[in-house]
Amino acid sequence: MDETNTNTDAGTAADGAARVVAAVLAGHQRLRTLLDGLTEAAAHEPSALPGWSRAHVLAHIGGVGSALARQARFAMRGELVEVYDGGRPTRDAAIEAGAKRSADELRHTVTEALTEAEGAFTAVGPRDWERPVRYRDGQVRGVLLCWWRELEIHTADALLGYGPGDWLRDFCAHALDFLAPRAPLETRLTLEATDGPERRAYGSGEPLTVRGRLTDLTAWLAGRAPTGPLDSDPAPLPDLRPWP
């Protein structure tokens, strides 16, 4: 094995993780600022997710932030733990319970989770991103990327003044790659950004091209409402497959 190439690959991966950590920390500060003015009435208004109030979304951010931080923290000890003790039922019950909390309690829950995530991910060294975790039987780097997606998408879902139209191009590029399995079967789906050079093609079969701003393409593939129009040719926008 070429040790020089191995070291270069490790360095490139660490550099990429460092950029994601920086974006995540910026997202933490943004969310803290957005929560400063949260009122009781606003906490329990509808979110962008059907059937979920803003409190549901914030409770989920707090829960998933702590859960993913724990994945990284235990990985640094060489230990594997489940994402949620008790699995999906425990996770869902915690969201429902959290949705009944006051605005101050929700703010505290979220900010505590953000602090926990900051501590966990900034403690990961350049050579530690490949440590194994239980999350998808993957690596710490995958946990970081998951938290980036959860943070960005659910901050937008909370309707606090930050939406899909504010997503950075780097985040959109990552999300489009991650969400590729949502492309419909038997379709050659091509996404073309009208505001930049980005282009993604998924699958094989009947060709279908969807054009729009990069953030709108990303929002659509993520199952969120685009803020601008999408042009679909030669057929209407297709139904998407489940979240990967």
Side-chain angles (χ1 to χ4, degrees), residues 100-190:
K100 298 178 176 63
R101 293 174 184 160
S102 68
D104 283 343
E105 288 171 329
L106 288 165
R107 188 183 297 107
H108 177 75
T109 295
V110 173
T111 54
E112 285 289 300
L114 298 181
T115 299
E116 189 177 352
E118 284 172 7
F121 291 118
T122 56
V124 179
R127 297 183 178 276
D128 293 319
W129 293 108
E130 296 181 359
R131 285 177 176 261
V133 294
R134 278 273 186 260
Y135 169 73
R136 298 186 179 227
D137 292 323
Q139 301 172 339
V140 175
R141 182 177 182 275
V143 175
L144 171 66
L145 290 171
C146 176
W147 176 230
W148 195 20
R149 294 189 300 270
E150 294 284 335
L151 178 66
E152 289 293 320
I153 292 173
H154 289 312
T155 298
D157 289 337
L159 301 179
L160 293 167
Y162 177 81
D166 298 310
W167 289 339
L168 297 176
R169 302 189 87 83
D170 282 350
F171 174 74
C172 291
H174 162 65
L176 289 176
D177 288 340
F178 174 78
L179 294 168
R182 299 206 74 198
L185 294 174
E186 300 180 355
T187 301
R188 178 63 171 173
L189 177 64
T190 301

Side-chain angles (χ1 to χ4, degrees), residues 53-77:
S53 67
R54 187 174 283 119
H56 281 92
V57 174
L58 295 177
H60 176 48
I61 291 174
V64 72
S66 291
L68 294 174
R70 187 175 76 152
Q71 289 288 294
R73 191 168 61 250
F74 273 78
M76 292 295 289
R77 303 176 191 170

